[in-house]
Amino acid sequence: DLLFPRKQKVVNKSKKSCDWKQQELGVSCFIMSRGKKQLFDIGVNITDGMFRGLYRGKQKHPSDFAAIMTRARDAGVCNMLATGTSLSDSRDAIELCREISEVSAKCTVGCHPTMCKEFEDMKNDNTPDTYLNSLRTLMVENKDVVVAVGETGLDYDRLEFCPKDLQKKYFLRQIDLAEELHLPMFLHLRHADDDFIEIMRENRARIVGGVVHSFDGPWETAQAILDLDLFIGVNGCSLKTEENITIASKIPLDKLMIETDCPWCEVRPTHAGSRFIKTKVIAKKKEKWEEGCFVKGRNEPSLLCHIIEVLSSSRDDDAEAIEQASFTNAMKMFGGNIA
């Protein structure tokens, strides 16, 4: 709940624009009311150990997952899409989505390009077909929670984890699943623009749609993605440089989705987009964690407001237009019909 306006001003507590809250830490602060805002964070890695105080295998503080979900709700995030990055991770994401009560949580099921070696891991009698069938079974048996195939795509930035040929092979196999089950795709692209666009052009007619999330590529690639009638997801990694910001400002509202990709991809102070941030937070180092505080370097859904602030400051659309359009786009693809 420790969200602060950057410019500290005296606010009339009777006004609806602000809420007064007394923190358990003994810190009194104003937080900006989200009112009736409806935000959809399309990229939340809820299975990551950081949300339970686990960093690189070491427990640094107690789990504060419930508090993170409460902060998300209080910040206006009413829907989120949890990312499945492998078979086991997808299972965990499904289970967590069912446990979350603060917001409406759905998830993807799939295998991240850097983890595609799992398809050919022969332990426990696994084969590529059994792995793919296990993904399919998760999707079919959990239709109430699973709304997309992914995270899948191509990542040539981290080939030490999986070579190009395996990435392309199992990207195509997951496109098969999306076609078979009539599900949209949650797509990953890093430094593999030509191969990614070629594969999507050849297979676009087979799938109902999708979003290329965490986009940080050149405008030529963004234009090719838009020409394929796909959405583009923007997070902190999409707003690192002035060029990134210019490209994000050109994405049409009807093709824009927003995300945190937490616990990663925050708008960092060194990023070009940071100058547009109006809301700052009280954050402690993980070693000095205190209940109710944010953790330095750990992104979370409540900070989706940072993406909106950067976008609304760098394009002709105001914050409300971005919120409404991105929410509508995400709901149509991942959340169901809009009332």
Side-chain angles (χ1 to χ4, degrees):
D1 290 350
L2 303 178
L3 291 172
F4 282 82
R6 175 161 281 181
K7 295 180 180 179
Q8 300 295 319
K9 295 182 179 179
V10 176
V11 183
N12 186 338
K13 289 183 281 186
S14 65
K15 291 184 178 181
K16 295 181 180 179
S17 61
C18 289
D19 288 335
W20 177 263
K21 292 193 176 182
Q22 181 71 32
Q23 305 301 322
E24 293 180 0
L25 296 172
V27 180
S28 298
C29 68
F30 287 106
I31 68 168
M32 301 306 295
S33 171
R34 302 308 293 172
K36 294 183 178 179
K37 294 181 185 297
Q38 290 181 305
L39 305 178
F40 198 136
D41 188 345
I42 67 156
V44 182
N45 297 287
I46 60 172
T47 62
D48 196 285
M50 285 194 208
F51 294 134
R52 288 152 200 86
L54 193 66
Y55 299 79
R56 298 182 182 274
K58 295 183 178 180
Q59 196 74 41
K60 296 294 185 178
H61 60 76
S63 173
D64 55 350
F65 184 75
I68 291 167
M69 292 298 105
T70 298
R71 281 198 290 268
R73 179 199 65 201
D74 292 346
V77 178
C78 53
N79 293 77
M80 62 176 58
L81 185 65
T83 310
T85 58
S86 68
L87 181 56
S88 61
D89 189 57
S90 296
R91 289 194 184 107
D92 292 342
I94 290 169
E95 182 177 344
L96 282 169
C97 283
R98 290 210 169 95
E99 294 176 0
I100 294 171
S101 59
E102 294 84 357
V103 302
S104 175
K106 306 294 183 182
C107 73
T108 73
V109 166
C111 188
H112 192 279
T114 61
M115 302 186 74
C116 280
K117 282 186 177 180
E118 288 195 4
F119 275 94
E120 299 187 358
D121 182 351
M122 298 308 172
K123 296 178 182 177
N124 301 318
D125 297 322
N126 179 65
T127 68
D129 286 340
T130 58
Y131 192 95
L132 193 75
N133 287 335
S134 294
L135 291 176
R136 178 189 291 107
T137 298
L138 274 185
M139 297 173 195
V140 171
E141 293 183 351
N142 298 280
K143 291 181 179 179
D144 59 317
V145 177
V146 179
V147 296
V149 175
E151 181 176 354
T152 184
L154 299 176
D155 189 323
Y156 292 174
D157 194 37
R158 293 173 282 181
L159 292 174
E160 66 271 23
F161 296 112
C162 188
K164 292 181 182 180
D165 59 334
L166 289 187
Q167 288 192 32
K168 289 190 283 187
K169 179 179 180 180
Y170 295 113
F171 182 17
L172 288 167
R173 294 299 298 273
Q174 291 179 84
I175 290 175
D176 293 341
L177 278 182
E179 179 182 27
E180 175 189 343
L181 300 177
H182 305 287
L183 286 172
M185 301 194 73
F186 190 76
L187 298 163
H188 177 98
L189 170 59
R190 279 290 179 273
H191 298 164
D193 299 32
D194 292 344
D195 285 352
F196 180 90
I197 295 301
E198 180 181 358
I199 288 172
M200 290 309 302
R201 280 175 178 159
E202 292 175 353
N203 294 277
R204 177 61 181 91
R206 299 171 55 201
I207 63 171
V208 297
V211 58
V212 180
H213 98 109
S214 191
F215 182 77
D216 67 350
W219 174 246
E220 291 76 14
T221 302
Q223 186 64 67
I225 291 167
L226 296 171
D227 289 345
L228 287 165
D229 195 25
L230 296 170
F231 290 85
I232 295 178
V234 172
N235 59 33
C237 290
S238 311
L239 304 167
K240 288 182 177 180
T241 68
E242 295 297 340
E243 182 183 6
N244 289 154
I245 293 172
T246 298
I247 291 167
S249 72
K250 295 180 181 179
I251 301 169
L253 273 184
D254 63 355
K255 290 298 177 188
L256 176 68
M257 294 189 191
I258 56 176
E259 57 180 300
T260 56
D261 205 19
C262 60
W264 316 105
C265 292
E266 72 271 28
V267 181
R268 297 180 180 178
T270 56
H271 292 176
S274 65
R275 72 182 187 276
F276 298 119
I277 298 299
K278 301 173 183 177
T279 303
K280 61 180 181 178
V281 301
I282 292 179
K284 302 279 188 178
K285 292 182 178 180
K286 56 184 178 292
E287 295 83 2
K288 297 182 178 181
W289 178 88
E290 292 185 42
E291 187 174 358
C293 273
F294 290 78
V295 175
K296 284 187 177 180
R298 185 186 70 176
N299 199 8
E300 58 177 79
S302 60
L303 299 180
L304 192 63
C305 60
H306 286 173
I307 306 306
I308 297 165
E309 288 169 358
V310 177
L311 289 175
S312 63
S313 299
S314 57
R315 51 190 291 154
D316 294 333
D317 310 296
D318 61 20
E320 184 176 358
I322 292 168
E323 291 162 2
Q324 291 179 348
S326 61
F327 180 79
T328 298
N329 295 339
M331 284 295 289
K332 285 181 177 178
M333 180 160 288
F334 302 123
N337 296 324
I338 301 174

